PDB file of all heavy atoms in Angstrom:
ATOM      1  N   VAL F  10     -57.303  60.640  -2.126  1.00  0.00           N
ATOM      2  CA  VAL F  10     -58.012  59.979  -3.177  1.00  0.00           C
ATOM      3  C   VAL F  10     -58.839  58.776  -2.566  1.00  0.00           C
ATOM      4  O   VAL F  10     -58.423  58.167  -1.612  1.00  0.00           O
ATOM      5  CB  VAL F  10     -57.071  59.506  -4.306  1.00  0.00           C
ATOM      6  CG1 VAL F  10     -56.089  58.447  -3.796  1.00  0.00           C
ATOM      7  CG2 VAL F  10     -57.853  58.974  -5.498  1.00  0.00           C
ATOM      8  N   GLN F  11     -60.034  58.544  -3.156  1.00  0.00           N
ATOM      9  CA  GLN F  11     -60.818  57.358  -2.796  1.00  0.00           C
ATOM     10  C   GLN F  11     -60.259  56.060  -3.327  1.00  0.00           C
ATOM     11  O   GLN F  11     -59.668  56.103  -4.412  1.00  0.00           O
ATOM     12  CB  GLN F  11     -62.242  57.562  -3.187  1.00  0.00           C
ATOM     13  CG  GLN F  11     -63.005  58.662  -2.441  1.00  0.00           C
ATOM     14  CD  GLN F  11     -64.410  58.783  -2.766  1.00  0.00           C
ATOM     15  OE1 GLN F  11     -64.809  58.688  -3.945  1.00  0.00           O
ATOM     16  NE2 GLN F  11     -65.286  58.845  -1.803  1.00  0.00           N
ATOM     17  N   ALA F  12     -60.604  55.017  -2.595  1.00  0.00           N
ATOM     18  CA  ALA F  12     -60.143  53.647  -3.153  1.00  0.00           C
ATOM     19  C   ALA F  12     -60.727  53.452  -4.590  1.00  0.00           C
ATOM     20  O   ALA F  12     -61.879  53.815  -4.807  1.00  0.00           O
ATOM     21  CB  ALA F  12     -60.682  52.591  -2.265  1.00  0.00           C
ATOM     22  N   GLY F  13     -59.906  52.952  -5.449  1.00  0.00           N
ATOM     23  CA  GLY F  13     -60.289  52.760  -6.851  1.00  0.00           C
ATOM     24  C   GLY F  13     -59.882  53.879  -7.764  1.00  0.00           C
ATOM     25  O   GLY F  13     -60.000  53.798  -8.985  1.00  0.00           O
ATOM     26  N   GLY F  14     -59.462  54.998  -7.140  1.00  0.00           N
ATOM     27  CA  GLY F  14     -59.122  56.262  -7.923  1.00  0.00           C
ATOM     28  C   GLY F  14     -57.721  56.212  -8.382  1.00  0.00           C
ATOM     29  O   GLY F  14     -56.922  55.141  -8.177  1.00  0.00           O
ATOM     30  N   SER F  15     -57.257  57.301  -8.954  1.00  0.00           N
ATOM     31  CA  SER F  15     -55.945  57.424  -9.546  1.00  0.00           C
ATOM     32  C   SER F  15     -55.214  58.674  -9.085  1.00  0.00           C
ATOM     33  O   SER F  15     -55.870  59.697  -8.715  1.00  0.00           O
ATOM     34  CB  SER F  15     -55.990  57.481 -11.020  1.00  0.00           C
ATOM     35  OG  SER F  15     -56.527  56.236 -11.608  1.00  0.00           O
ATOM     36  N   LEU F  16     -53.902  58.646  -9.107  1.00  0.00           N
ATOM     37  CA  LEU F  16     -53.121  59.821  -8.699  1.00  0.00           C
ATOM     38  C   LEU F  16     -51.714  59.710  -9.383  1.00  0.00           C
ATOM     39  O   LEU F  16     -51.246  58.624  -9.511  1.00  0.00           O
ATOM     40  CB  LEU F  16     -52.930  59.838  -7.160  1.00  0.00           C
ATOM     41  CG  LEU F  16     -52.473  61.166  -6.539  1.00  0.00           C
ATOM     42  CD1 LEU F  16     -53.492  62.233  -6.700  1.00  0.00           C
ATOM     43  CD2 LEU F  16     -52.132  60.917  -5.063  1.00  0.00           C
ATOM     44  N   ARG F  17     -51.145  60.799  -9.703  1.00  0.00           N
ATOM     45  CA  ARG F  17     -49.769  60.837 -10.288  1.00  0.00           C
ATOM     46  C   ARG F  17     -48.899  61.681  -9.458  1.00  0.00           C
ATOM     47  O   ARG F  17     -49.185  62.811  -9.242  1.00  0.00           O
ATOM     48  CB  ARG F  17     -49.783  61.236 -11.771  1.00  0.00           C
ATOM     49  CG  ARG F  17     -48.422  61.098 -12.406  1.00  0.00           C
ATOM     50  CD  ARG F  17     -48.395  61.564 -13.836  1.00  0.00           C
ATOM     51  NE  ARG F  17     -48.320  63.003 -13.969  1.00  0.00           N
ATOM     52  CZ  ARG F  17     -47.950  63.626 -15.008  1.00  0.00           C
ATOM     53  NH1 ARG F  17     -47.744  63.038 -16.140  1.00  0.00           N
ATOM     54  NH2 ARG F  17     -48.051  65.007 -15.065  1.00  0.00           N
ATOM     55  N   VAL F  18     -47.806  61.102  -8.965  1.00  0.00           N
ATOM     56  CA  VAL F  18     -46.791  61.875  -8.247  1.00  0.00           C
ATOM     57  C   VAL F  18     -45.543  62.065  -9.140  1.00  0.00           C
ATOM     58  O   VAL F  18     -45.278  61.290 -10.033  1.00  0.00           O
ATOM     59  CB  VAL F  18     -46.338  61.148  -6.965  1.00  0.00           C
ATOM     60  CG1 VAL F  18     -47.561  61.158  -5.938  1.00  0.00           C
ATOM     61  CG2 VAL F  18     -45.915  59.697  -7.158  1.00  0.00           C
ATOM     62  N   SER F  19     -44.945  63.166  -8.901  1.00  0.00           N
ATOM     63  CA  SER F  19     -43.759  63.592  -9.758  1.00  0.00           C
ATOM     64  C   SER F  19     -42.530  63.841  -8.904  1.00  0.00           C
ATOM     65  O   SER F  19     -42.615  64.117  -7.671  1.00  0.00           O
ATOM     66  CB  SER F  19     -44.025  64.871 -10.497  1.00  0.00           C
ATOM     67  OG  SER F  19     -45.201  64.689 -11.327  1.00  0.00           O
ATOM     68  N   CYS F  20     -41.374  63.733  -9.530  1.00  0.00           N
ATOM     69  CA  CYS F  20     -40.090  63.980  -8.813  1.00  0.00           C
ATOM     70  C   CYS F  20     -39.228  64.725  -9.739  1.00  0.00           C
ATOM     71  O   CYS F  20     -38.858  64.244 -10.801  1.00  0.00           O
ATOM     72  CB  CYS F  20     -39.444  62.574  -8.407  1.00  0.00           C
ATOM     73  SG  CYS F  20     -37.791  62.838  -7.711  1.00  0.00           S
ATOM     74  N   ALA F  21     -38.924  65.974  -9.432  1.00  0.00           N
ATOM     75  CA  ALA F  21     -38.052  66.838 -10.188  1.00  0.00           C
ATOM     76  C   ALA F  21     -36.577  66.804  -9.561  1.00  0.00           C
ATOM     77  O   ALA F  21     -36.367  66.886  -8.421  1.00  0.00           O
ATOM     78  CB  ALA F  21     -38.592  68.286 -10.171  1.00  0.00           C
ATOM     79  N   ALA F  22     -35.641  66.571 -10.524  1.00  0.00           N
ATOM     80  CA  ALA F  22     -34.209  66.387 -10.087  1.00  0.00           C
ATOM     81  C   ALA F  22     -33.431  67.601 -10.581  1.00  0.00           C
ATOM     82  O   ALA F  22     -33.632  68.211 -11.616  1.00  0.00           O
ATOM     83  CB  ALA F  22     -33.655  65.178 -10.690  1.00  0.00           C
ATOM     84  N   SER F  23     -32.378  67.956  -9.804  1.00  0.00           N
ATOM     85  CA  SER F  23     -31.474  69.007 -10.148  1.00  0.00           C
ATOM     86  C   SER F  23     -30.025  68.617  -9.569  1.00  0.00           C
ATOM     87  O   SER F  23     -29.887  67.707  -8.790  1.00  0.00           O
ATOM     88  CB  SER F  23     -31.824  70.315  -9.523  1.00  0.00           C
ATOM     89  OG  SER F  23     -31.834  70.258  -8.092  1.00  0.00           O
ATOM     90  N   GLY F  24     -29.036  69.156 -10.233  1.00  0.00           N
ATOM     91  CA  GLY F  24     -27.619  68.866  -9.856  1.00  0.00           C
ATOM     92  C   GLY F  24     -26.910  68.198 -10.984  1.00  0.00           C
ATOM     93  O   GLY F  24     -26.728  68.783 -11.987  1.00  0.00           O
ATOM     94  N   ARG F  25     -26.416  67.036 -10.742  1.00  0.00           N
ATOM     95  CA  ARG F  25     -25.751  66.265 -11.765  1.00  0.00           C
ATOM     96  C   ARG F  25     -26.622  65.773 -12.894  1.00  0.00           C
ATOM     97  O   ARG F  25     -27.822  65.949 -12.793  1.00  0.00           O
ATOM     98  CB  ARG F  25     -24.997  65.010 -11.123  1.00  0.00           C
ATOM     99  CG  ARG F  25     -24.147  65.332  -9.948  1.00  0.00           C
ATOM    100  CD  ARG F  25     -22.998  66.208 -10.315  1.00  0.00           C
ATOM    101  NE  ARG F  25     -21.912  65.481 -11.114  1.00  0.00           N
ATOM    102  CZ  ARG F  25     -20.808  66.059 -11.437  1.00  0.00           C
ATOM    103  NH1 ARG F  25     -20.462  67.222 -11.183  1.00  0.00           N
ATOM    104  NH2 ARG F  25     -19.919  65.294 -12.143  1.00  0.00           N
ATOM    105  N   THR F  26     -25.962  65.352 -13.933  1.00  0.00           N
ATOM    106  CA  THR F  26     -26.787  64.989 -15.192  1.00  0.00           C
ATOM    107  C   THR F  26     -27.845  63.846 -14.856  1.00  0.00           C
ATOM    108  O   THR F  26     -27.481  62.795 -14.461  1.00  0.00           O
ATOM    109  CB  THR F  26     -25.786  64.452 -16.257  1.00  0.00           C
ATOM    110  OG1 THR F  26     -24.751  65.409 -16.558  1.00  0.00           O
ATOM    111  CG2 THR F  26     -26.581  64.112 -17.578  1.00  0.00           C
ATOM    112  N   PHE F  27     -29.083  64.300 -15.138  1.00  0.00           N
ATOM    113  CA  PHE F  27     -30.175  63.389 -14.785  1.00  0.00           C
ATOM    114  C   PHE F  27     -30.203  62.159 -15.566  1.00  0.00           C
ATOM    115  O   PHE F  27     -30.575  61.081 -15.011  1.00  0.00           O
ATOM    116  CB  PHE F  27     -31.564  64.183 -15.060  1.00  0.00           C
ATOM    117  CG  PHE F  27     -32.767  63.420 -14.830  1.00  0.00           C
ATOM    118  CD1 PHE F  27     -33.169  63.138 -13.533  1.00  0.00           C
ATOM    119  CD2 PHE F  27     -33.554  62.916 -15.837  1.00  0.00           C
ATOM    120  CE1 PHE F  27     -34.312  62.441 -13.234  1.00  0.00           C
ATOM    121  CE2 PHE F  27     -34.702  62.215 -15.597  1.00  0.00           C
ATOM    122  CZ  PHE F  27     -35.107  61.932 -14.262  1.00  0.00           C
ATOM    123  N   THR F  28     -29.813  62.134 -16.858  1.00  0.00           N
ATOM    124  CA  THR F  28     -29.828  60.942 -17.674  1.00  0.00           C
ATOM    125  C   THR F  28     -28.922  59.891 -17.361  1.00  0.00           C
ATOM    126  O   THR F  28     -28.998  58.733 -17.695  1.00  0.00           O
ATOM    127  CB  THR F  28     -29.615  61.345 -19.202  1.00  0.00           C
ATOM    128  OG1 THR F  28     -28.393  62.127 -19.310  1.00  0.00           O
ATOM    129  CG2 THR F  28     -30.768  62.238 -19.712  1.00  0.00           C
ATOM    130  N   ASN F  29     -27.916  60.209 -16.455  1.00  0.00           N
ATOM    131  CA  ASN F  29     -26.952  59.259 -15.955  1.00  0.00           C
ATOM    132  C   ASN F  29     -27.421  58.395 -14.779  1.00  0.00           C
ATOM    133  O   ASN F  29     -26.676  57.467 -14.360  1.00  0.00           O
ATOM    134  CB  ASN F  29     -25.627  59.908 -15.605  1.00  0.00           C
ATOM    135  CG  ASN F  29     -24.868  60.374 -16.904  1.00  0.00           C
ATOM    136  OD1 ASN F  29     -24.035  61.300 -16.682  1.00  0.00           O
ATOM    137  ND2 ASN F  29     -25.086  59.786 -17.998  1.00  0.00           N
ATOM    138  N   TYR F  30     -28.615  58.682 -14.313  1.00  0.00           N
ATOM    139  CA  TYR F  30     -29.116  58.009 -13.142  1.00  0.00           C
ATOM    140  C   TYR F  30     -30.365  57.175 -13.391  1.00  0.00           C
ATOM    141  O   TYR F  30     -31.249  57.547 -14.158  1.00  0.00           O
ATOM    142  CB  TYR F  30     -29.464  59.025 -12.031  1.00  0.00           C
ATOM    143  CG  TYR F  30     -28.297  59.745 -11.483  1.00  0.00           C
ATOM    144  CD1 TYR F  30     -27.779  60.925 -12.007  1.00  0.00           C
ATOM    145  CD2 TYR F  30     -27.644  59.216 -10.349  1.00  0.00           C
ATOM    146  CE1 TYR F  30     -26.748  61.550 -11.527  1.00  0.00           C
ATOM    147  CE2 TYR F  30     -26.549  59.896  -9.775  1.00  0.00           C
ATOM    148  CZ  TYR F  30     -26.063  61.102 -10.396  1.00  0.00           C
ATOM    149  OH  TYR F  30     -24.961  61.712  -9.889  1.00  0.00           O
ATOM    150  N   ILE F  31     -30.458  56.070 -12.767  1.00  0.00           N
ATOM    151  CA  ILE F  31     -31.715  55.382 -12.800  1.00  0.00           C
ATOM    152  C   ILE F  31     -32.543  55.987 -11.661  1.00  0.00           C
ATOM    153  O   ILE F  31     -31.939  56.557 -10.746  1.00  0.00           O
ATOM    154  CB  ILE F  31     -31.542  53.774 -12.420  1.00  0.00           C
ATOM    155  CG1 ILE F  31     -30.986  53.577 -11.113  1.00  0.00           C
ATOM    156  CG2 ILE F  31     -30.654  53.164 -13.516  1.00  0.00           C
ATOM    157  CD1 ILE F  31     -31.038  52.116 -10.598  1.00  0.00           C
ATOM    158  N   MET F  32     -33.849  55.851 -11.778  1.00  0.00           N
ATOM    159  CA  MET F  32     -34.727  56.523 -10.852  1.00  0.00           C
ATOM    160  C   MET F  32     -35.686  55.520 -10.188  1.00  0.00           C
ATOM    161  O   MET F  32     -36.056  54.557 -10.892  1.00  0.00           O
ATOM    162  CB  MET F  32     -35.545  57.687 -11.450  1.00  0.00           C
ATOM    163  CG  MET F  32     -34.638  58.764 -12.026  1.00  0.00           C
ATOM    164  SD  MET F  32     -33.622  59.629 -10.865  1.00  0.00           S
ATOM    165  CE  MET F  32     -34.925  60.360  -9.829  1.00  0.00           C
ATOM    166  N   GLY F  33     -36.223  55.820  -9.014  1.00  0.00           N
ATOM    167  CA  GLY F  33     -37.091  54.880  -8.378  1.00  0.00           C
ATOM    168  C   GLY F  33     -38.002  55.497  -7.389  1.00  0.00           C
ATOM    169  O   GLY F  33     -37.813  56.677  -7.021  1.00  0.00           O
ATOM    170  N   TRP F  34     -38.979  54.715  -6.949  1.00  0.00           N
ATOM    171  CA  TRP F  34     -39.937  55.199  -5.936  1.00  0.00           C
ATOM    172  C   TRP F  34     -40.044  54.189  -4.818  1.00  0.00           C
ATOM    173  O   TRP F  34     -40.076  52.939  -5.045  1.00  0.00           O
ATOM    174  CB  TRP F  34     -41.382  55.383  -6.580  1.00  0.00           C
ATOM    175  CG  TRP F  34     -41.523  56.528  -7.459  1.00  0.00           C
ATOM    176  CD1 TRP F  34     -41.395  56.555  -8.798  1.00  0.00           C
ATOM    177  CD2 TRP F  34     -41.799  57.914  -7.036  1.00  0.00           C
ATOM    178  NE1 TRP F  34     -41.614  57.792  -9.336  1.00  0.00           N
ATOM    179  CE2 TRP F  34     -41.851  58.648  -8.236  1.00  0.00           C
ATOM    180  CE3 TRP F  34     -41.980  58.511  -5.855  1.00  0.00           C
ATOM    181  CZ2 TRP F  34     -42.157  60.025  -8.255  1.00  0.00           C
ATOM    182  CZ3 TRP F  34     -42.294  59.906  -5.801  1.00  0.00           C
ATOM    183  CH2 TRP F  34     -42.348  60.624  -7.042  1.00  0.00           C
ATOM    184  N   PHE F  35     -40.017  54.653  -3.609  1.00  0.00           N
ATOM    185  CA  PHE F  35     -40.269  53.920  -2.395  1.00  0.00           C
ATOM    186  C   PHE F  35     -41.411  54.457  -1.645  1.00  0.00           C
ATOM    187  O   PHE F  35     -41.820  55.689  -1.944  1.00  0.00           O
ATOM    188  CB  PHE F  35     -39.044  53.890  -1.504  1.00  0.00           C
ATOM    189  CG  PHE F  35     -37.902  52.893  -1.942  1.00  0.00           C
ATOM    190  CD1 PHE F  35     -37.154  53.290  -3.020  1.00  0.00           C
ATOM    191  CD2 PHE F  35     -37.635  51.740  -1.244  1.00  0.00           C
ATOM    192  CE1 PHE F  35     -36.148  52.378  -3.450  1.00  0.00           C
ATOM    193  CE2 PHE F  35     -36.684  50.917  -1.605  1.00  0.00           C
ATOM    194  CZ  PHE F  35     -35.932  51.220  -2.666  1.00  0.00           C
ATOM    195  N   ARG F  36     -42.037  53.781  -0.659  1.00  0.00           N
ATOM    196  CA  ARG F  36     -43.088  54.298   0.154  1.00  0.00           C
ATOM    197  C   ARG F  36     -42.874  53.833   1.556  1.00  0.00           C
ATOM    198  O   ARG F  36     -42.320  52.767   1.795  1.00  0.00           O
ATOM    199  CB  ARG F  36     -44.384  53.967  -0.445  1.00  0.00           C
ATOM    200  CG  ARG F  36     -44.771  52.495  -0.434  1.00  0.00           C
ATOM    201  CD  ARG F  36     -46.079  52.218  -1.092  1.00  0.00           C
ATOM    202  NE  ARG F  36     -46.440  50.806  -1.010  1.00  0.00           N
ATOM    203  CZ  ARG F  36     -47.444  50.287  -1.621  1.00  0.00           C
ATOM    204  NH1 ARG F  36     -48.307  51.056  -2.431  1.00  0.00           N
ATOM    205  NH2 ARG F  36     -47.788  48.990  -1.513  1.00  0.00           N
ATOM    206  N   GLN F  37     -43.425  54.641   2.493  1.00  0.00           N
ATOM    207  CA  GLN F  37     -43.284  54.249   3.982  1.00  0.00           C
ATOM    208  C   GLN F  37     -44.498  54.711   4.618  1.00  0.00           C
ATOM    209  O   GLN F  37     -44.924  55.940   4.674  1.00  0.00           O
ATOM    210  CB  GLN F  37     -42.126  54.890   4.588  1.00  0.00           C
ATOM    211  CG  GLN F  37     -41.783  54.466   5.999  1.00  0.00           C
ATOM    212  CD  GLN F  37     -40.422  54.829   6.493  1.00  0.00           C
ATOM    213  OE1 GLN F  37     -39.862  55.828   5.993  1.00  0.00           O
ATOM    214  NE2 GLN F  37     -39.917  54.087   7.415  1.00  0.00           N
ATOM    215  N   ALA F  38     -45.224  53.737   5.247  1.00  0.00           N
ATOM    216  CA  ALA F  38     -46.385  53.964   6.131  1.00  0.00           C
ATOM    217  C   ALA F  38     -45.937  54.105   7.571  1.00  0.00           C
ATOM    218  O   ALA F  38     -44.869  53.659   7.941  1.00  0.00           O
ATOM    219  CB  ALA F  38     -47.455  52.849   5.946  1.00  0.00           C
TER     220      ALA F  38
END
């Protein structure tokens, strides 16, 4: 994406009950 633009990333979970977990995002360059 170009500077100033937008993007949406998603994360699908499976396994234990999803609602019992807090969720987060990290990044690494």
